[in-house]
Amino acid sequence: MPQVTTDRLKVITFELEMIEALLEGPEQLEKLIPYQVLADYPMDVYKQFFPYKIDRFIEQPEENVWEGLIINRELHMVIGDIGFKGGPDEKGEINLGYSVLPRFQGHGFATEAAAAMLEWGLEQPGVKKVTATCSPGNIASIRVLQKAGLKQLREDAKKIYWSS
């Protein structure tokens, strides 16, 4: 992904070697990028997905362009990640996912990044629609997805489904 820039943020491609470095620790990622990486990045709940992502990007390197790190431009710091979970499917749909460190939540960063990525994603060849899901109890994500411009399609007991 080329850099996606907003007033306060920059999204850079979260490359395979960066993911591998991060598994060894934030200080290893800092050796590869010119940004500070806090000790609590990534959140523990997301670390479990890194081995899967590494395997996936080795097998299908073209998917890596759909993953990004969210950089706070003022602080020169990684504050989260965002991406499209493997790129477009056979219907031209891409599924948005993101996380922002708790200390940076509630300041509009997730909304700003999601809106910018939604715009970028819809400009990519073969992409017709952006989708997302969140749990019905995740009020913060509901607000992010609404403010980013996605519309709620339906809801079941476990998920709310969104689309551009």
Side-chain angles (χ1 to χ4, degrees):
M1 114 185 8
Q3 283 187 25
V4 175
T5 305
T6 69
D7 290 341
R8 301 181 300 162
L9 305 173
K10 181 184 335 181
V11 179
I12 62 170
T13 304
F14 195 7
E15 298 172 0
L16 176 60
E17 59 271 10
M18 294 161 66
I19 297 169
E20 291 170 330
L22 191 54
L23 279 175
E24 295 179 34
E27 64 285 346
Q28 296 303 314
L29 178 56
E30 284 182 341
K31 292 177 181 178
L32 298 177
I33 62 174
Y35 306 105
Q36 181 181 3
V37 183
L38 298 171
D40 56 344
Y41 180 80
M43 293 183 284
D44 287 337
V45 68
Y46 296 108
K47 286 181 187 177
Q48 65 184 326
F49 299 112
F50 282 10
Y52 166 78
K53 284 185 180 204
I54 289 169
D55 290 345
R56 184 97 182 175
F57 293 159
I58 289 170
E59 292 172 14
Q60 299 177 31
E62 70 280 0
E63 289 188 2
N64 193 202
V65 301
W66 300 95
E67 299 280 336
L69 288 175
I70 303 170
I71 309 298
N72 180 302
R73 292 175 60 196
E74 180 182 352
L75 300 174
H76 301 282
M77 180 184 297
V78 175
I79 64 168
D81 47 70
I82 192 163
F84 290 111
K85 301 178 186 175
D89 65 15
E90 64 282 345
K91 296 184 285 185
E93 296 179 5
I94 51 178
N95 189 268
L96 179 67
Y98 54 87
S99 70
V100 173
L101 287 170
R103 69 178 86 182
F104 295 101
Q105 294 174 5
H107 301 284
F109 294 124
T111 300
E112 191 172 326
M117 289 299 288
L118 177 70
E119 182 179 336
W120 177 84
L122 289 170
E123 292 172 352
Q124 302 314 300
V127 174
K128 297 176 182 166
K129 185 189 296 187
V130 173
T131 63
T133 60
C134 69
S135 65
N138 190 339
I139 304 304
S141 271
I142 291 169
R143 296 290 295 144
V144 165
L145 296 170
Q146 287 172 335
K147 288 180 180 181
L150 294 174
K151 305 292 181 219
Q152 184 175 336
L153 295 177
R154 67 184 191 286
E155 181 176 344
D156 61 29
K158 295 183 180 182
K159 290 184 181 180
I160 302 174
Y161 298 84
W162 302 83
S163 180
S164 57

